[in-house]
């Protein structure tokens, strides 16, 4: 249990509080002095740095492009790249393919007749490709 302080000890408590406050004040003053010295030191360093002119870094276009390639894509850039779908002719099979921005091959929905025509053309192109490879080897 905590004891209550008696009234006659009030004067000693006051002196204790005052001494505690004075210690805090001293600590604050010391901190202010240290901070002031640090600021002065920084300003001196800045003045010296201003006197010494740094050599400008020469960056070529190639290094700039290389840096841009190494940076991760933003979400907007990725979505822009993925939204591009192009038709590419495949020489080996003779087919036109749908290719997404990163190289992903997509399927195209076509009618039954169109699918048969595509398969017929692809089979013909496969045969021609096979014949070309045979003649190169011989």
């Amino acid at each position: 249990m905590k004891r209550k302080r008696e009234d006659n000890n009030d004067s000693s408590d006051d002196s204790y509080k005052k001494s505690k406050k004075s210690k805090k004040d001293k600590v604050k003053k010391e901190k202010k002095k240290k901070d002031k010295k640090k600021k002065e030191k920084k300003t001196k360093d800045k003045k010296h740095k201003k006197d010494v002119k740094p050599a400008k870094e020469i960056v070529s276009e190639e290094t700039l492009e290389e840096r841009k390639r190494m940076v991760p894509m933003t979400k907007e850039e990725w979505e822009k790249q993925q939204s591009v779908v192009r038709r590419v002719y495949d020489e080996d099979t003779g087919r036109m393919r749908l290719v997404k921005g990163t190289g992903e091959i997509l399927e195209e929905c076509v009618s039954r007749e169109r699918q048969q025509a595509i398969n017929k053309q692809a089979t013909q192109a496969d045969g021609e490709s096979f014949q070309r490879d045979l003649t190169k080897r011989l």
Side-chain angles (χ1 to χ4, degrees):
M1 287 182 88
K2 293 184 179 178
R3 293 186 189 176
K4 290 185 179 180
R5 293 187 181 168
E6 294 178 15
D7 289 338
N8 59 1
N9 286 341
D10 282 344
S11 61
S12 65
D13 286 341
D14 288 341
S15 64
Y16 174 74
K17 287 179 184 178
K18 287 179 183 177
S19 66
K20 201 171 188 180
K21 281 185 181 180
S22 64
K23 286 180 184 177
K24 284 183 182 179
D25 289 339
K26 287 179 184 178
V27 171
K28 284 183 182 179
K29 286 180 183 178
E30 288 175 12
K31 278 188 178 180
K32 283 183 182 179
K33 285 181 183 178
K34 286 180 183 178
D35 290 341
K36 208 173 196 181
K37 286 181 182 179
K38 283 182 183 178
K39 285 181 182 178
E40 287 174 2
K41 195 172 188 180
K42 284 182 182 179
T43 54
K44 285 180 183 178
D45 290 341
K46 285 182 182 178
K47 287 178 184 177
H48 290 294
K49 285 181 183 178
K50 287 180 184 177
D51 295 341
V52 178
K53 293 181 181 178
K56 291 185 178 179
E57 184 180 332
I58 300 172
V59 180
S60 67
E61 290 179 21
E62 292 174 358
T63 55
L64 286 175
E65 288 176 15
E66 194 174 313
R67 286 182 186 174
K68 286 180 183 177
R69 274 188 266 140
M70 300 301 284
V71 174
M73 276 189 194
T74 62
K75 187 175 181 183
E76 292 80 25
E77 289 173 336
W78 184 81
E79 287 174 351
K80 183 180 177 184
Q81 185 184 34
Q82 291 298 321
S83 67
V84 174
V85 177
R86 60 190 190 281
R87 291 187 180 271
V88 178
Y89 179 73
D90 185 6
E91 292 178 6
D92 286 338
T93 60
R95 294 183 189 217
M96 291 295 284
R97 298 185 182 272
L98 289 178
V99 180
K100 214 171 184 179
T102 56
E104 179 183 352
I105 306 295
L106 300 175
E107 285 188 29
E108 184 177 8
C109 294
V110 293
S111 66
R112 184 175 185 192
E113 291 80 24
R114 178 73 181 127
Q115 180 66 39
Q116 287 175 343
I118 290 171
N119 283 342
K120 188 175 183 178
Q121 180 192 5
T123 305
Q124 224 174 12
D126 284 343
E128 290 171 5
S129 174
F130 180 74
Q131 287 295 326
R132 268 186 267 129
D133 288 343
L134 274 179
T135 53
K136 284 181 183 176
R137 289 182 186 178
L138 297 175

